[in-house]
Amino acid sequence: MKFINIGFGNMVSAGRIITIASPDSAPIKRLVQDAKEDGRVIDVSCGRRTRSVIVTDSDHVILSAIQAETVAGRLSFDGDDEETDPDDE
């Protein structure tokens, strides 16, 4: 299971992420507002400005202070921690 750092020591499972969006558009603002009303928002921005909105497969909406591009880059980075065995080459 791979976890992505979404800022301030908070992690989210990479396999659970459906989308990463900027919070500036009207549809995303409505999505966040509806999720707040339903109690599905997880705010990990630590009081800072929300810079990305992460939607999970469980319909939770995560608000992060990290740029959407940065989170996406961390998601697409293939950082396997396993070292290759020189004998395998």
Side-chain angles (χ1 to χ4, degrees):
M1 184 181 308
K2 182 178 176 185
F3 286 94
I4 305 299
N5 183 344
I6 57 171
F8 303 106
N10 298 294
M11 306 280 198
V12 66
S13 175
R16 306 289 308 255
I17 295 174
I18 299 296
T19 189
I20 304 167
S22 174
D24 299 329
S25 70
I28 298 298
K29 288 179 182 179
R30 280 193 300 272
L31 179 113
V32 170
Q33 188 59 42
D34 291 345
K36 281 183 181 178
E37 291 171 1
D38 293 342
R40 296 180 290 118
V41 168
I42 302 169
D43 188 354
V44 296
S45 63
C46 293
R48 290 181 173 76
R49 180 173 166 243
T50 299
R51 294 179 184 253
S52 65
V53 177
I54 303 166
V55 180
T56 65
D57 60 354
S58 62
D59 284 336
H60 284 89
V61 177
I62 303 170
L63 308 178
S64 175
I66 304 296
Q67 292 273 351
E69 294 83 12
T70 304
V71 176
R74 292 175 183 177
L75 182 63
S76 65
F77 177 73
D78 190 18
D80 289 333
D81 291 331
E82 299 176 16
E83 293 184 27
T84 58
D85 190 358
D87 295 332
D88 290 343
E89 296 177 359

